[in-house]
């Protein structure tokens, strides 16, 4: 079975969303894009800043609870079901738990082929992007720059510190063939 799912993992402000948009433009077939930010935005308001949901600390740390994990598993399962039904999907995720996050994805995927892509960016550059964006808790980029990659195995890694999103997208597209 051909790869129908690409999972990009990188810290906040590492450039994943830009790469996803470029991937959609350069890949010959249509690929749907789903990101963890959209999943978090879809959560009920009562799960924001709650022990069972998701908490964004003032220093940029992020913690999640059991209710979040249950909904996250359902979200991942839904994306896998769409891929099994024939959709091509690019996922923009942040593996807060490093290898444990990848294990959760592997359980949802079963035998579905996936291209694992690590999106790296030097902390100082990601912090600058975070400030320019203005929609992130200050410190999140620095907190996540390395921890999201701990113990994670990739088929391909790209680094957006100096490379443009389009260049990274072309490298990912080439890895699919």
């Amino acid at each position: 079975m051909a790869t129908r799912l690409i999972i990009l993992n990188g810290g906040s402000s590492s450039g994943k969303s830009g790469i996803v948009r470029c991937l959609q433009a350069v890949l010959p077939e249509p690929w749907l894009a789903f990101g963890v930010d959209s999943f978090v935005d879809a959560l009920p308001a009562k799960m924001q800043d709650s022990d069972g949901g998701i908490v964004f600390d003032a220093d940029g740390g992020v913690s999640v609870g059991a209710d979040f994990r249950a909904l996250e598993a359902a979200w991942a399962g839904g994306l896998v079901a769409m891929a099994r039904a024939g959709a091509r999907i690019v996922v923009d995720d942040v593996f807060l738990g490093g290898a444990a996050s990848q294990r959760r994805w592997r359980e949802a995927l079963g035998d579905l082929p996936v291209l694992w892509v690590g999106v790296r960016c030097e902390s100082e550059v990601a912090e600058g992007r975070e400030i320019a964006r203005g929609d992130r808790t200050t410190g999140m980029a620095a907190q996540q720059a390395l921890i999201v990659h701990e113990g994670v195995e990739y088929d391909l890694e790209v680094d957006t510190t100096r490379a443009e999103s389009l260049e990274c997208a072309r490298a990912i597209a080439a890895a699919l063939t």
Side-chain angles (χ1 to χ4, degrees), residues 106-124:
R106 287 189 193 279
E107 290 170 9
L109 291 162
D111 63 350
L112 187 70
V114 62
L115 180 68
W116 297 98
V117 180
V119 180
R120 294 189 181 267
C121 183
E122 290 178 8
S123 180
E124 298 79 19

Side-chain angles (χ1 to χ4, degrees), residues 48-63:
Q48 303 287 333
D49 292 320
S50 78
D51 290 340
I54 186 166
V55 176
F56 297 95
D57 299 328
D59 67 355
V62 180
S63 56

Side-chain angles (χ1 to χ4, degrees), residues 14-118:
S14 63
K16 298 179 306 295
S17 298
I19 292 171
V20 169
R21 285 188 297 275
C22 289
L23 267 171
Q24 288 180 302
V26 302
L27 290 169
E29 307 88 8
W31 285 72
L32 300 172
F34 294 95
V36 70
D37 288 346
S38 297
F39 166 70
V40 170
D41 289 344
L43 294 172
K46 66 183 177 183
M47 287 186 68
Q48 303 287 333
D49 292 320
S50 78
D51 290 340
I54 186 166
V55 176
F56 297 95
D57 299 328
D59 67 355
V62 180
S63 56
V64 298
D67 294 336
F68 179 96
R69 286 285 181 233
L71 289 173
E72 178 187 47
W75 175 70
L79 294 177
V80 168
M82 289 173 57
R84 288 191 185 286
R88 293 174 188 88
I89 298 174
V90 182
V91 177
D92 161 354
D93 205 344
V94 179
F95 289 4
L96 294 173
S101 298
Q102 187 176 40
R103 270 193 303 279
R104 283 191 292 277
W105 267 110
R106 287 189 193 279
E107 290 170 9
L109 291 162
D111 63 350
L112 187 70
V114 62
L115 180 68
W116 297 98
V117 180

